[in-house]
Amino acid sequence: MTAHASRGMEDANVLIIGGLGFLGSNLAHRLVASGARVTLFDACLDPYGWNYANITEIARDVEVVVADTRNFEAVCVHVADKDLIFNFAAQVSHSLSMERPCTDIEINCRGNMNVLEACRRLNDGVTILFAGTRSETGEAQYLPVDEDHPDNPSDIYSINKLAAEKYHLMYHHVYGMPTTVIRVGNTYGPRHQMKHGQYGVLNYFIRRAMLDEPILIYGDGEQIREYCYVDDVCDAFYRAAQTPKSIGEYFVIGSGEPVKFIEMANRVLRAVGKGSLIHTPYPEGREKIDVQKFFVANDKISEYLGWHPTITLKEGLEKTVAFYQTRLMEYI
Ligand SMILES: NC(=O)c1ccc[n+]([C@@H]2O[C@H](COP(=O)([O-])OP(=O)(O)OC[C@H]3O[C@@H](n4cnc5c(N)ncnc54)[C@H](O)[C@@H]3O)[C@@H](O)[C@H]2O)c1
């Protein structure tokens, strides 16, 4: 059991890699409120979700380090004294990974290997929580997808995330390091970037509707997905970090509320109160990497961590729209 696990989050020395982004900054709010000492490590790379507006409320309570996981020495400096590391930095766009595969390998494989190697050499007792992605599974062979489902990822991002996930679990298996993986599904909520729709499409749709710009639906929109509210996702990581039983495990999580893509878009329009939809053919190459039907079983994470999704899509959309109604200009 690591030191922080026995004493909760108060005074835990926590590093969030990718901490200025969407998941990292939302989790930082929760950790600061719990009394943790939080350092945010982020390379501030475009077109990703880093934004100083994400930490407005906690700017005085966190340390920010602008550094890149591809720089091994920089990683070493910041992992050595930590109790807990949330490893969230990533090249996160499926389509960009196809356009720039080597950048994806550099960030999603080499960057993660740097984090693990730095920890192995300097702080091998540190608890590391890695954010995997549902797209490591690829097209579902059965539903709901669980932790026993085989993996057949359909794009470069998802293949490299799967490699990084395996690195984390291997470092537990071979070196006994306390690592845990949570495979995150489509997540939305306050503090997601809205500059473009390369990833995080639900948030991008909210922007389009708020600005009265039409929302483009590729194909018929019949794909089935789950959309998890960010506080629920952060809660899963928070619980995993405090629960020794999660060490060496991987979990899938979802909202428990599968919906058609077109239904999600219509619900965005209703939550915003304006906007419109336009159907359009898929851009070249996009359809082949788009999974048709996906939702997961939360049984394992619920058994191990007592985690359940608590926010419905309706409630989550209302909260998200309320956030951007006052802060939209900081995100577009
Ligand atoms: N949000 C989702 O729907 C979702 C779904 C599945 C998985 N994930 C995973 O969750 C993690 C966080 O994603 P997010 O939604 O917060 O994305 P985000 O783009 O908001 O945040 C990622 C952050 O990582 C930083 N970053 C990128 N490369 C870096 C590097 N080499 N060194 C240091 N910092 C770097 C970026 O500047 C950005 O601030 C990622 O690992 C992603 O794969 C997210």
Side-chain angles (χ1 to χ4, degrees), residues 134 140 142-146 149 224-226 252-259 291 293-298:
R134 62 132 186 110
Y142 59 84
L143 290 164
V145 167
D146 58 17
H149 193 289
I224 294 189
R225 295 274 188 284
E226 292 176 289
V252 296
I253 55 169
S255 70
E257 200 184 342
V259 289
V291 166
K293 244 186 194 181
F294 201 92
F295 54 93
V296 306
N298 290 315

Side-chain angles (χ1 to χ4, degrees), residues 9-274:
M9 290 297 180
E10 200 169 351
D11 284 333
N13 204 359
V14 180
L15 183 68
I16 308 180
I17 304 179
L20 286 174
F22 171 54
L23 281 191
S25 63
N26 277 289
L27 184 63
H29 282 73
R30 170 105 186 245
L31 290 165
V32 165
S34 306
R37 284 175 283 136
V38 178
T39 303
L40 308 177
F41 178 112
D42 201 298
C44 299
L45 298 180
D46 292 328
Y48 308 111
W50 69 277
N51 190 338
Y52 282 95
N54 286 343
I55 58 164
T56 305
E57 306 89 336
I58 54 168
R60 286 204 208 127
D61 305 306
V62 296
E63 184 189 349
V64 177
V65 173
V66 178
D68 197 306
T69 56
R70 289 169 290 182
N71 178 341
F72 183 66
E73 284 71 31
V75 176
C76 287
V77 170
H78 296 284
V79 300
D81 59 343
K82 300 298 184 292
D83 302 312
L84 249 181
I85 297 177
F86 294 94
N87 189 10
F88 291 172
Q91 186 303 108
V92 287
S93 160
H94 298 269
S95 47
L96 272 183
S97 78
M98 304 302 283
E99 285 168 32
R100 300 178 210 156
C102 292
T103 304
D104 198 89
I105 293 171
E106 280 293 308
I107 296 177
N108 287 334
C109 294
R110 183 168 171 199
N112 282 305
M113 184 52 77
N114 281 343
V115 172
L116 287 164
E117 265 301 285
C119 291
R120 184 180 71 81
R121 294 185 201 181
L122 300 166
N123 186 8
D124 65 359
V126 64
T127 298
I128 306 172
L129 289 297
F130 176 71
T133 169
R134 62 132 186 110
S135 60
E136 288 163 39
T137 309
E139 197 64 69
Q141 292 177 15
Y142 59 84
L143 290 164
V145 167
D146 58 17
E147 288 78 3
D148 296 324
H149 193 289
D151 295 317
N152 191 17
S154 63
D155 59 62
I156 287 164
Y157 161 72
S158 310
I159 292 171
N160 292 333
K161 289 289 288 190
L162 180 59
E165 174 182 308
K166 299 279 187 201
Y167 299 153
H168 281 75
L169 296 175
M170 188 215 86
Y171 270 62
H172 170 70
H173 182 67
V174 175
Y175 303 119
M177 287 168 54
T179 63
T180 300
V181 173
I182 298 179
R183 281 194 191 177
V184 178
N186 297 74
T187 307
Y188 70 100
R191 305 188 180 90
H192 198 290
Q193 68 80 20
M194 280 188 162
K195 290 190 167 69
H196 57 79
Q198 290 270 7
Y199 64 93
V201 73
L202 190 158
N203 272 69
Y204 185 62
F205 283 2
I206 291 177
R207 168 213 160 115
R208 305 272 312 177
M210 286 179 97
L211 298 178
D212 230 343
E213 296 163 350
I215 289 172
L216 299 185
I217 305 289
Y218 299 144
D220 57 13
E222 291 289 307
Q223 311 95 300
I224 294 189
R225 295 274 188 284
E226 292 176 289
Y227 300 90
C228 222
Y229 188 66
V230 66
D231 287 357
D232 277 333
V233 174
C234 289
D235 184 52
F237 280 97
Y238 189 92
R239 284 171 186 251
Q242 289 190 298
T243 312
K245 203 177 164 191
S246 69
I247 290 171
E249 298 292 336
Y250 103 80
F251 302 96
V252 296
I253 55 169
S255 70
E257 200 184 342
V259 289
K260 289 185 177 171
F261 191 79
I262 186 81
E263 167 70 9
M264 174 277 285
N266 275 309
R267 292 219 206 170
V268 166
L269 297 187
R270 283 206 290 280
V272 174
K274 60 179 177 178

